Amino acid sequence: MAVKEFQAESKRLLEMMINSIYSHKEIFLRELISNASDAIDKIYYKALADENVNFDQNSYYIKVTADKEKRILTISDTGIGMTKEELETNLGTIAKSGSLAFKKETELKDGYDIIGQFGVGFYSAFMVADVVTVISKAFGSNEAYKWESSGADGYTIEPCEKDEAGTEIHLKIKENTEEEDFDEYLEEYRLKAIIKKYSDFIRYPIKMDVTKSRLKEGSENDYEQYKEEEVINSMVPIWRKNKKELTDEDYHNFYAEKRYGFDKPLKHIHISVDGAVRYNAILFIPEKMPFDYYTKEFEKGLELYSNGVLIMDKCADLLPDYFSFVKGMVDSEDLSLNISREILQHDRQLKLIAKNINKKIKSELLSLLKDDREKYETFYKAFGRQLKFGVYSDFGANKETLQDLLLFYSSKEKKLVTLDEYVSRMTDEQKYIYYAAGESVERIDKLPQTELVAEKGYEILYFTDDVDEFAIRMLMNYKDKEFKSVSSGDLGIDADNDTKSAEEETEHKELFAYMKDVLKDKVKDVRVSKRLKSHPVVITADGEISLEMEKVLQAMPGSQDVKADRVLEINVNHEVFNALKTAFETDKEKLALYTNLLYHQALLIEGLPIEDPVEFTNDICKIMV
Ligand code: ADP
Ligand code: MG
């Protein structure tokens, strides 16, 4: 019998296919099962159009059988089958999709859709098989044909026997190589797992003869093995079900079954969109941060299905980084079952879906914030940091999206508040949104630089996360109110106080200049403080980088030596200042000692390291004796 060659371009494509297109060889099974499901769909459509054809749901199925000895894996279906011509055109020409043509010919009704449209899936069989044999009998025909190929060389077609309409694909599984194990594709447990993973929601039963064991008849401890036919797939996907019929428990089970996380999700979002792009999605907001969340092993993404068939485990393009904690899946009938991730990235439909999902997640989080504050705070504890990173990254491109989701601890409310809540409590005379950065709420409570703002009765937001100040710098303002650090030069609080400070500054110019000389490069300036009430001294920063930011930047691996411009502020209304004045007039050496002491005190209060602790303790001893 003459061997027919594949068409030239098919041959090249086939070679490419075998070697590269799919990264996971196991997906060959997904492709063949999808084709079988398509073939059954086609009978279903025929039945819709032709009353002589009857479609009895029970007689349509897909069956997977493995024969370990002969190394043959068979996928058979009771679908529409192929005529001799169809075998030639559909399987002889790569990238020729019979299913796509069928789709164009028939006006497809909603609900059912055909998966294949790319015309390359079938060839993935050659990734695991040396020889592929297709035995098929077309619906309504009396003849059956056998198509056979061992790869790029070509194929043969000859008549054969087959009782019922449908198709059987026999794969002669490759021998193991040093790098690769092909035996696994003959193992029952492995096949079951692959079917579950990719084809769980195919709407026809996928059957397998599964090995079981039972007590031998008449025996009490002698077991025998036997085979029993089992349906492997669950068929109706939860996301196609009516939301109203599903309970929280159903969603939780799905979350656990899918191993999205070990926690109980805080919230699920079930989306069914029937607009410009049609898709179903089930998304989850986890309760706890995954242990690997901030490691490089963590991969964001949603599972992506095309019409019930898994095409990607983690489709990263569906989630922005700031929502990377969201788990779940998306299924769309409008997505072409593309062959590679590269193509998928540019898919317009996918972009639309991503945009849609993004909006939905935001609105669901906002309603959680509004309706169930406690739950939202649990969420925020786990993932608030990620939202703040989101505000900061991409040069603030997403700050508008995220600003209303932020929470900060409030000095007045003693709990987390939104920016909107803060602004709504501002009085007319309050110009800024004040914040103070520090290690913990307790520490910030005691920071001297909060004194004036707090005394004025203004609310202060406490920034205890290292990313907070960076995010706020990016945000710049909220509802036209500018953010202001309690350490900043111009607090915009009391103009009289400001003039008075300026006068003091001039009056004690020489004293401050002397102190600055003592401290040399350690500080940029020594000044009169406008913000201190009861504390004698504080250290603040001039310019872009605050002291808290300096700490964060210094702690980063490979950090450049970034330093804030430090300013030592002196409270001229404090008794200590009198001592400074006296020392300036009578004993300069003492003033130098006092200056160093005050500087070190200020560092301690701020939680900054003291460069020379020995010098500091020696200084303390000096004033004691
Ligand atoms: P696609 O499914 O994207 O069209 P494939 O390479 O997977 O491309 O399959 C090529 C064509 O072969 C299908 O479009 C279909 O016409 C035909 N075909 C493949 N498998 C079967 C089958 N089990 N039953 C009937 N036709 C099939
Ligand atoms: Mg296909």
Side-chain angles (χ1 to χ4, degrees), residues 348-374:
R348 208 178 56 84
Q349 309 283 355
L350 194 75
K351 288 210 172 98
L352 270 175
I353 296 175
K355 204 170 142 201
N356 231 298
I357 282 180
N358 192 9
K359 264 200 206 144
K360 189 77 185 164
I361 297 171
K362 183 188 164 183
S363 70
E364 290 288 329
L365 285 174
L366 279 177
S367 64
L368 189 66
L369 172 62
K370 207 170 119 250
D371 304 332
D372 193 341
R373 184 73 166 231
E374 203 178 312

PDB file of all heavy atoms in Angstrom, residues 348-374:
ATOM      1  N   ARG A 348      -6.985  39.462  22.366  1.00  0.00           N
ATOM      2  CA  ARG A 348      -7.806  40.617  22.711  1.00  0.00           C
ATOM      3  C   ARG A 348      -8.888  40.243  23.727  1.00  0.00           C
ATOM      4  O   ARG A 348      -9.182  40.988  24.652  1.00  0.00           O
ATOM      5  CB  ARG A 348      -8.457  41.153  21.437  1.00  0.00           C
ATOM      6  CG  ARG A 348      -8.762  42.630  21.463  1.00  0.00           C
ATOM      7  CD  ARG A 348      -9.359  43.048  20.133  1.00  0.00           C
ATOM      8  NE  ARG A 348     -10.546  42.255  19.823  1.00  0.00           N
ATOM      9  CZ  ARG A 348     -11.769  42.541  20.282  1.00  0.00           C
ATOM     10  NH1 ARG A 348     -11.968  43.586  21.030  1.00  0.00           N
ATOM     11  NH2 ARG A 348     -12.801  41.778  19.979  1.00  0.00           N
ATOM     12  N   GLN A 349      -9.460  39.062  23.510  1.00  0.00           N
ATOM     13  CA  GLN A 349     -10.511  38.593  24.421  1.00  0.00           C
ATOM     14  C   GLN A 349      -9.964  38.467  25.835  1.00  0.00           C
ATOM     15  O   GLN A 349     -10.600  38.859  26.795  1.00  0.00           O
ATOM     16  CB  GLN A 349     -11.021  37.204  23.991  1.00  0.00           C
ATOM     17  CG  GLN A 349     -11.411  37.111  22.555  1.00  0.00           C
ATOM     18  CD  GLN A 349     -12.759  37.751  22.291  1.00  0.00           C
ATOM     19  OE1 GLN A 349     -13.435  38.176  23.222  1.00  0.00           O
ATOM     20  NE2 GLN A 349     -13.137  37.851  21.037  1.00  0.00           N
ATOM     21  N   LEU A 350      -8.770  37.916  25.908  1.00  0.00           N
ATOM     22  CA  LEU A 350      -8.166  37.695  27.211  1.00  0.00           C
ATOM     23  C   LEU A 350      -7.946  39.030  27.916  1.00  0.00           C
ATOM     24  O   LEU A 350      -8.170  39.162  29.118  1.00  0.00           O
ATOM     25  CB  LEU A 350      -6.840  36.960  27.045  1.00  0.00           C
ATOM     26  CG  LEU A 350      -6.287  36.383  28.337  1.00  0.00           C
ATOM     27  CD1 LEU A 350      -7.049  35.144  28.729  1.00  0.00           C
ATOM     28  CD2 LEU A 350      -4.819  36.060  28.206  1.00  0.00           C
ATOM     29  N   LYS A 351      -7.538  40.013  27.153  1.00  0.00           N
ATOM     30  CA  LYS A 351      -7.316  41.344  27.739  1.00  0.00           C
ATOM     31  C   LYS A 351      -8.617  41.914  28.286  1.00  0.00           C
ATOM     32  O   LYS A 351      -8.643  42.501  29.364  1.00  0.00           O
ATOM     33  CB  LYS A 351      -6.736  42.286  26.682  1.00  0.00           C
ATOM     34  CG  LYS A 351      -5.302  41.973  26.344  1.00  0.00           C
ATOM     35  CD  LYS A 351      -4.557  43.242  25.930  1.00  0.00           C
ATOM     36  CE  LYS A 351      -3.075  42.969  25.777  1.00  0.00           C
ATOM     37  NZ  LYS A 351      -2.678  42.741  24.390  1.00  0.00           N
ATOM     38  N   LEU A 352      -9.686  41.723  27.500  1.00  0.00           N
ATOM     39  CA  LEU A 352     -10.996  42.201  27.943  1.00  0.00           C
ATOM     40  C   LEU A 352     -11.407  41.534  29.246  1.00  0.00           C
ATOM     41  O   LEU A 352     -11.881  42.177  30.175  1.00  0.00           O
ATOM     42  CB  LEU A 352     -12.041  41.878  26.882  1.00  0.00           C
ATOM     43  CG  LEU A 352     -12.276  42.932  25.809  1.00  0.00           C
ATOM     44  CD1 LEU A 352     -13.243  42.398  24.761  1.00  0.00           C
ATOM     45  CD2 LEU A 352     -12.818  44.205  26.444  1.00  0.00           C
ATOM     46  N   ILE A 353     -11.228  40.226  29.279  1.00  0.00           N
ATOM     47  CA  ILE A 353     -11.592  39.469  30.481  1.00  0.00           C
ATOM     48  C   ILE A 353     -10.788  39.974  31.680  1.00  0.00           C
ATOM     49  O   ILE A 353     -11.329  40.214  32.751  1.00  0.00           O
ATOM     50  CB  ILE A 353     -11.364  37.956  30.276  1.00  0.00           C
ATOM     51  CG1 ILE A 353     -12.286  37.433  29.171  1.00  0.00           C
ATOM     52  CG2 ILE A 353     -11.605  37.196  31.567  1.00  0.00           C
ATOM     53  CD1 ILE A 353     -12.061  35.978  28.807  1.00  0.00           C
ATOM     54  N   ALA A 354      -9.492  40.155  31.462  1.00  0.00           N
ATOM     55  CA  ALA A 354      -8.623  40.601  32.551  1.00  0.00           C
ATOM     56  C   ALA A 354      -9.093  41.945  33.106  1.00  0.00           C
ATOM     57  O   ALA A 354      -9.148  42.162  34.320  1.00  0.00           O
ATOM     58  CB  ALA A 354      -7.184  40.700  32.075  1.00  0.00           C
ATOM     59  N   LYS A 355      -9.456  42.830  32.213  1.00  0.00           N
ATOM     60  CA  LYS A 355      -9.879  44.161  32.613  1.00  0.00           C
ATOM     61  C   LYS A 355     -11.166  44.086  33.447  1.00  0.00           C
ATOM     62  O   LYS A 355     -11.299  44.708  34.504  1.00  0.00           O
ATOM     63  CB  LYS A 355     -10.133  44.986  31.345  1.00  0.00           C
ATOM     64  CG  LYS A 355     -10.008  46.466  31.559  1.00  0.00           C
ATOM     65  CD  LYS A 355     -10.024  47.206  30.243  1.00  0.00           C
ATOM     66  CE  LYS A 355     -10.800  48.502  30.411  1.00  0.00           C
ATOM     67  NZ  LYS A 355     -11.270  49.029  29.138  1.00  0.00           N
ATOM     68  N   ASN A 356     -12.060  43.284  32.935  1.00  0.00           N
ATOM     69  CA  ASN A 356     -13.326  43.013  33.591  1.00  0.00           C
ATOM     70  C   ASN A 356     -13.162  42.470  35.007  1.00  0.00           C
ATOM     71  O   ASN A 356     -13.790  42.921  35.956  1.00  0.00           O
ATOM     72  CB  ASN A 356     -13.979  41.902  32.759  1.00  0.00           C
ATOM     73  CG  ASN A 356     -15.374  42.253  32.378  1.00  0.00           C
ATOM     74  OD1 ASN A 356     -16.183  42.422  33.275  1.00  0.00           O
ATOM     75  ND2 ASN A 356     -15.642  42.375  31.097  1.00  0.00           N
ATOM     76  N   ILE A 357     -12.295  41.487  35.106  1.00  0.00           N
ATOM     77  CA  ILE A 357     -12.049  40.805  36.376  1.00  0.00           C
ATOM     78  C   ILE A 357     -11.444  41.765  37.390  1.00  0.00           C
ATOM     79  O   ILE A 357     -11.818  41.804  38.557  1.00  0.00           O
ATOM     80  CB  ILE A 357     -11.100  39.611  36.140  1.00  0.00           C
ATOM     81  CG1 ILE A 357     -11.885  38.458  35.540  1.00  0.00           C
ATOM     82  CG2 ILE A 357     -10.424  39.178  37.420  1.00  0.00           C
ATOM     83  CD1 ILE A 357     -11.036  37.244  35.282  1.00  0.00           C
ATOM     84  N   ASN A 358     -10.520  42.561  36.893  1.00  0.00           N
ATOM     85  CA  ASN A 358      -9.848  43.536  37.721  1.00  0.00           C
ATOM     86  C   ASN A 358     -10.862  44.485  38.384  1.00  0.00           C
ATOM     87  O   ASN A 358     -10.832  44.737  39.584  1.00  0.00           O
ATOM     88  CB  ASN A 358      -8.882  44.309  36.819  1.00  0.00           C
ATOM     89  CG  ASN A 358      -7.924  45.154  37.608  1.00  0.00           C
ATOM     90  OD1 ASN A 358      -7.860  45.037  38.822  1.00  0.00           O
ATOM     91  ND2 ASN A 358      -7.198  46.008  36.924  1.00  0.00           N
ATOM     92  N   LYS A 359     -11.778  44.967  37.570  1.00  0.00           N
ATOM     93  CA  LYS A 359     -12.813  45.877  38.062  1.00  0.00           C
ATOM     94  C   LYS A 359     -13.672  45.195  39.114  1.00  0.00           C
ATOM     95  O   LYS A 359     -14.035  45.770  40.132  1.00  0.00           O
ATOM     96  CB  LYS A 359     -13.734  46.271  36.905  1.00  0.00           C
ATOM     97  CG  LYS A 359     -13.383  47.562  36.258  1.00  0.00           C
ATOM     98  CD  LYS A 359     -14.620  48.062  35.515  1.00  0.00           C
ATOM     99  CE  LYS A 359     -14.255  48.966  34.369  1.00  0.00           C
ATOM    100  NZ  LYS A 359     -15.146  48.783  33.215  1.00  0.00           N
ATOM    101  N   LYS A 360     -14.017  43.955  38.801  1.00  0.00           N
ATOM    102  CA  LYS A 360     -14.901  43.189  39.677  1.00  0.00           C
ATOM    103  C   LYS A 360     -14.241  42.944  41.042  1.00  0.00           C
ATOM    104  O   LYS A 360     -14.883  43.092  42.074  1.00  0.00           O
ATOM    105  CB  LYS A 360     -15.224  41.861  38.982  1.00  0.00           C
ATOM    106  CG  LYS A 360     -16.276  41.068  39.661  1.00  0.00           C
ATOM    107  CD  LYS A 360     -17.656  41.604  39.398  1.00  0.00           C
ATOM    108  CE  LYS A 360     -18.659  40.811  40.217  1.00  0.00           C
ATOM    109  NZ  LYS A 360     -19.942  41.469  40.320  1.00  0.00           N
ATOM    110  N   ILE A 361     -12.968  42.595  41.022  1.00  0.00           N
ATOM    111  CA  ILE A 361     -12.274  42.341  42.286  1.00  0.00           C
ATOM    112  C   ILE A 361     -12.286  43.609  43.131  1.00  0.00           C
ATOM    113  O   ILE A 361     -12.572  43.589  44.323  1.00  0.00           O
ATOM    114  CB  ILE A 361     -10.819  41.874  42.058  1.00  0.00           C
ATOM    115  CG1 ILE A 361     -10.790  40.543  41.318  1.00  0.00           C
ATOM    116  CG2 ILE A 361     -10.078  41.747  43.383  1.00  0.00           C
ATOM    117  CD1 ILE A 361      -9.411  40.114  40.859  1.00  0.00           C
ATOM    118  N   LYS A 362     -12.016  44.728  42.455  1.00  0.00           N
ATOM    119  CA  LYS A 362     -11.989  45.983  43.206  1.00  0.00           C
ATOM    120  C   LYS A 362     -13.362  46.276  43.826  1.00  0.00           C
ATOM    121  O   LYS A 362     -13.468  46.597  45.007  1.00  0.00           O
ATOM    122  CB  LYS A 362     -11.566  47.137  42.313  1.00  0.00           C
ATOM    123  CG  LYS A 362     -11.481  48.406  43.119  1.00  0.00           C
ATOM    124  CD  LYS A 362     -11.266  49.645  42.321  1.00  0.00           C
ATOM    125  CE  LYS A 362     -11.591  50.844  43.211  1.00  0.00           C
ATOM    126  NZ  LYS A 362     -11.481  52.102  42.486  1.00  0.00           N
ATOM    127  N   SER A 363     -14.397  46.135  43.034  1.00  0.00           N
ATOM    128  CA  SER A 363     -15.711  46.498  43.575  1.00  0.00           C
ATOM    129  C   SER A 363     -16.132  45.539  44.683  1.00  0.00           C
ATOM    130  O   SER A 363     -16.778  45.934  45.651  1.00  0.00           O
ATOM    131  CB  SER A 363     -16.755  46.576  42.467  1.00  0.00           C
ATOM    132  OG  SER A 363     -17.031  45.299  41.974  1.00  0.00           O
ATOM    133  N   GLU A 364     -15.735  44.277  44.562  1.00  0.00           N
ATOM    134  CA  GLU A 364     -16.075  43.322  45.620  1.00  0.00           C
ATOM    135  C   GLU A 364     -15.318  43.636  46.910  1.00  0.00           C
ATOM    136  O   GLU A 364     -15.856  43.492  48.004  1.00  0.00           O
ATOM    137  CB  GLU A 364     -15.768  41.895  45.181  1.00  0.00           C
ATOM    138  CG  GLU A 364     -16.702  41.379  44.095  1.00  0.00           C
ATOM    139  CD  GLU A 364     -18.112  41.096  44.604  1.00  0.00           C
ATOM    140  OE1 GLU A 364     -18.243  40.730  45.788  1.00  0.00           O
ATOM    141  OE2 GLU A 364     -19.069  41.257  43.821  1.00  0.00           O
ATOM    142  N   LEU A 365     -14.085  44.068  46.766  1.00  0.00           N
ATOM    143  CA  LEU A 365     -13.324  44.430  47.965  1.00  0.00           C
ATOM    144  C   LEU A 365     -13.925  45.667  48.618  1.00  0.00           C
ATOM    145  O   LEU A 365     -14.033  45.750  49.838  1.00  0.00           O
ATOM    146  CB  LEU A 365     -11.848  44.669  47.607  1.00  0.00           C
ATOM    147  CG  LEU A 365     -11.010  43.418  47.340  1.00  0.00           C
ATOM    148  CD1 LEU A 365      -9.622  43.788  46.863  1.00  0.00           C
ATOM    149  CD2 LEU A 365     -10.922  42.538  48.579  1.00  0.00           C
ATOM    150  N   LEU A 366     -14.344  46.610  47.787  1.00  0.00           N
ATOM    151  CA  LEU A 366     -14.971  47.815  48.334  1.00  0.00           C
ATOM    152  C   LEU A 366     -16.256  47.477  49.082  1.00  0.00           C
ATOM    153  O   LEU A 366     -16.530  48.034  50.141  1.00  0.00           O
ATOM    154  CB  LEU A 366     -15.272  48.821  47.220  1.00  0.00           C
ATOM    155  CG  LEU A 366     -14.103  49.691  46.763  1.00  0.00           C
ATOM    156  CD1 LEU A 366     -14.520  50.578  45.601  1.00  0.00           C
ATOM    157  CD2 LEU A 366     -13.558  50.537  47.910  1.00  0.00           C
ATOM    158  N   SER A 367     -17.018  46.544  48.530  1.00  0.00           N
ATOM    159  CA  SER A 367     -18.270  46.232  49.229  1.00  0.00           C
ATOM    160  C   SER A 367     -17.998  45.429  50.496  1.00  0.00           C
ATOM    161  O   SER A 367     -18.729  45.554  51.477  1.00  0.00           O
ATOM    162  CB  SER A 367     -19.295  45.561  48.312  1.00  0.00           C
ATOM    163  OG  SER A 367     -18.836  44.326  47.887  1.00  0.00           O
ATOM    164  N   LEU A 368     -16.933  44.653  50.484  1.00  0.00           N
ATOM    165  CA  LEU A 368     -16.547  43.957  51.716  1.00  0.00           C
ATOM    166  C   LEU A 368     -16.168  44.987  52.784  1.00  0.00           C
ATOM    167  O   LEU A 368     -16.568  44.888  53.948  1.00  0.00           O
ATOM    168  CB  LEU A 368     -15.370  43.014  51.444  1.00  0.00           C
ATOM    169  CG  LEU A 368     -14.990  42.054  52.570  1.00  0.00           C
ATOM    170  CD1 LEU A 368     -16.088  41.044  52.815  1.00  0.00           C
ATOM    171  CD2 LEU A 368     -13.686  41.336  52.268  1.00  0.00           C
ATOM    172  N   LEU A 369     -15.432  45.987  52.363  1.00  0.00           N
ATOM    173  CA  LEU A 369     -15.016  47.057  53.272  1.00  0.00           C
ATOM    174  C   LEU A 369     -16.229  47.757  53.869  1.00  0.00           C
ATOM    175  O   LEU A 369     -16.273  48.099  55.048  1.00  0.00           O
ATOM    176  CB  LEU A 369     -14.148  48.049  52.490  1.00  0.00           C
ATOM    177  CG  LEU A 369     -13.721  49.356  53.157  1.00  0.00           C
ATOM    178  CD1 LEU A 369     -12.871  49.078  54.376  1.00  0.00           C
ATOM    179  CD2 LEU A 369     -12.952  50.226  52.178  1.00  0.00           C
ATOM    180  N   LYS A 370     -17.229  47.953  53.028  1.00  0.00           N
ATOM    181  CA  LYS A 370     -18.415  48.670  53.460  1.00  0.00           C
ATOM    182  C   LYS A 370     -19.311  47.785  54.347  1.00  0.00           C
ATOM    183  O   LYS A 370     -19.822  48.242  55.353  1.00  0.00           O
ATOM    184  CB  LYS A 370     -19.189  49.110  52.209  1.00  0.00           C
ATOM    185  CG  LYS A 370     -20.030  50.352  52.421  1.00  0.00           C
ATOM    186  CD  LYS A 370     -20.576  50.877  51.102  1.00  0.00           C
ATOM    187  CE  LYS A 370     -22.078  50.875  51.095  1.00  0.00           C
ATOM    188  NZ  LYS A 370     -22.710  49.911  50.223  1.00  0.00           N
ATOM    189  N   ASP A 371     -19.478  46.553  53.936  1.00  0.00           N
ATOM    190  CA  ASP A 371     -20.486  45.706  54.583  1.00  0.00           C
ATOM    191  C   ASP A 371     -19.965  44.824  55.707  1.00  0.00           C
ATOM    192  O   ASP A 371     -20.723  44.382  56.552  1.00  0.00           O
ATOM    193  CB  ASP A 371     -21.163  44.803  53.546  1.00  0.00           C
ATOM    194  CG  ASP A 371     -21.760  45.609  52.417  1.00  0.00           C
ATOM    195  OD1 ASP A 371     -22.124  46.777  52.682  1.00  0.00           O
ATOM    196  OD2 ASP A 371     -21.843  45.098  51.287  1.00  0.00           O
ATOM    197  N   ASP A 372     -18.699  44.514  55.654  1.00  0.00           N
ATOM    198  CA  ASP A 372     -18.173  43.610  56.674  1.00  0.00           C
ATOM    199  C   ASP A 372     -16.751  44.033  57.024  1.00  0.00           C
ATOM    200  O   ASP A 372     -15.769  43.426  56.600  1.00  0.00           O
ATOM    201  CB  ASP A 372     -18.206  42.167  56.144  1.00  0.00           C
ATOM    202  CG  ASP A 372     -17.971  41.153  57.253  1.00  0.00           C
ATOM    203  OD1 ASP A 372     -17.438  41.547  58.314  1.00  0.00           O
ATOM    204  OD2 ASP A 372     -18.311  39.976  57.053  1.00  0.00           O
ATOM    205  N   ARG A 373     -16.704  45.082  57.824  1.00  0.00           N
ATOM    206  CA  ARG A 373     -15.414  45.703  58.129  1.00  0.00           C
ATOM    207  C   ARG A 373     -14.441  44.718  58.761  1.00  0.00           C
ATOM    208  O   ARG A 373     -13.245  44.705  58.452  1.00  0.00           O
ATOM    209  CB  ARG A 373     -15.669  46.894  59.056  1.00  0.00           C
ATOM    210  CG  ARG A 373     -14.447  47.711  59.399  1.00  0.00           C
ATOM    211  CD  ARG A 373     -14.010  48.542  58.205  1.00  0.00           C
ATOM    212  NE  ARG A 373     -13.062  49.551  58.614  1.00  0.00           N
ATOM    213  CZ  ARG A 373     -13.177  50.844  58.322  1.00  0.00           C
ATOM    214  NH1 ARG A 373     -14.197  51.274  57.610  1.00  0.00           N
ATOM    215  NH2 ARG A 373     -12.275  51.701  58.726  1.00  0.00           N
ATOM    216  N   GLU A 374     -14.966  43.864  59.611  1.00  0.00           N
ATOM    217  CA  GLU A 374     -14.093  42.940  60.321  1.00  0.00           C
ATOM    218  C   GLU A 374     -13.390  41.995  59.345  1.00  0.00           C
ATOM    219  O   GLU A 374     -12.190  41.775  59.409  1.00  0.00           O
ATOM    220  CB  GLU A 374     -14.934  42.140  61.309  1.00  0.00           C
ATOM    221  CG  GLU A 374     -14.151  41.573  62.455  1.00  0.00           C
ATOM    222  CD  GLU A 374     -15.069  40.825  63.409  1.00  0.00           C
ATOM    223  OE1 GLU A 374     -16.131  41.387  63.769  1.00  0.00           O
ATOM    224  OE2 GLU A 374     -14.735  39.682  63.747  1.00  0.00           O
TER     225      GLU A 374
END
